[in-house]
């Protein structure tokens, strides 16, 4: 099973478009959890995703509860600048769902409080509070691919384990 990406209430169309293109590149389903801060028809969103939208396994959930009903919570790993454990420590599985908060509000506090053992961060040593959402998704997704490809005899999404 592929790794899944979920975005909670994304706000910036180009970020979501770039993440959609990344999902198409590695064959990862993309879950958008509403309410969205834009229309899926916006030109900025379409332009950032280029002509790869047909290749994206896109799931749109009207709200958190609909997503929660569709996705087994045991598969979810949450990523936030406010978490304390490094994303390198996350227990990635080939069917994990990597969940990210919105660009403006980050991960909802209730998730951080309810699932602290499943919350992870990308360590930063400088004065920056957080990374761009598309950048963060790319960093975490490729680490998850690296770890799950190394742990299995079948490469994930056509990736070979690193030498």
């Amino acid at each position: 099973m592929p790794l899944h990406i979920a975005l909670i209430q994304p706000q910036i169309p180009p970020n979501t478009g770039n993440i959609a293109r990344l999902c198409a590149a590695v064959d990862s389903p993309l879950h958008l959890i509403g309410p969205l801060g834009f229309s899926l028809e916006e030109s900025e969103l379409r332009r950032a995703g280029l002509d790869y939208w047909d290749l994206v396994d896109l799931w749109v959930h009207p709200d958190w509860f609909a997503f929660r009903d569709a996705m087994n919570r045991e598969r979810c790993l949450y990523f936030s600048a406010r978490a304390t454990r490094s994303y390198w420590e996350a227990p990635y599985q080939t069917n994990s769902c990597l969940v990210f908060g919105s660009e403006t509000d980050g991960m909802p506090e209730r998730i951080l409080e309810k699932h602290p053992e499943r919350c992870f961060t990308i360590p930063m040593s400088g004065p920056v509070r957080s990374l761009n959402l598309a950048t963060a998704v790319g960093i975490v997704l490729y680490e998850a691919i690296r770890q799950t490809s190394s742990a299995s005899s079948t490469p994930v999404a056509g990736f070979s384990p690193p030498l």
Side-chain angles (χ1 to χ4, degrees):
M1 291 190 100
L3 294 157
H4 289 239
I5 299 296
L7 307 178
I8 300 173
Q9 300 178 354
Q11 301 296 307
I12 301 174
N15 279 341
T16 302
N18 283 323
I19 293 165
R21 186 182 343 170
L22 177 63
C23 287
V26 298
D27 197 26
S28 287
L30 176 60
H31 299 260
L32 301 180
I33 304 164
L36 307 181
F38 50 82
S39 162
L40 291 176
E41 302 306 316
E42 282 196 33
S43 61
E44 288 181 72
L45 177 76
R46 292 282 176 210
R47 187 171 31 255
L50 295 175
D51 55 349
Y52 300 113
W53 279 101
D54 303 10
L55 303 174
V56 178
D57 183 4
L58 181 63
W59 298 66
V60 180
H61 308 275
D63 55 36
W64 175 254
F65 301 105
F67 170 75
R68 209 176 62 191
D69 289 344
M71 179 65 64
N72 179 335
R73 285 181 233 165
E74 295 303 310
R75 293 175 55 188
C76 293
L77 301 171
Y78 306 99
F79 298 89
S80 169
R82 297 189 319 265
T84 56
R85 294 174 51 207
S86 171
Y87 75 107
W88 294 310
E89 300 173 38
Y92 302 107
Q93 303 291 320
T94 56
N95 68 343
S96 291
C97 183
L98 313 176
V99 183
F100 297 83
S102 78
E103 297 94 328
T104 54
D105 297 327
M107 184 64 63
E109 193 64 38
R110 70 183 184 276
I111 292 174
L112 295 169
E113 291 170 358
K114 192 170 183 177
H115 305 285
E117 76 289 352
R118 301 188 71 74
C119 295
F120 303 91
T121 191
I122 298 170
M124 294 178 282
S125 60
V128 174
R129 286 187 313 275
S130 63
L131 296 173
N132 171 279
L133 181 59
T135 300
V137 170
I139 289 169
V140 172
L141 179 57
Y142 273 92
E143 176 63 13
I145 289 169
R146 184 189 72 78
Q147 287 192 27
T148 58
S149 293
S150 296
S152 76
S153 58
T154 307
V156 174
F159 288 87
S160 297
L163 297 175

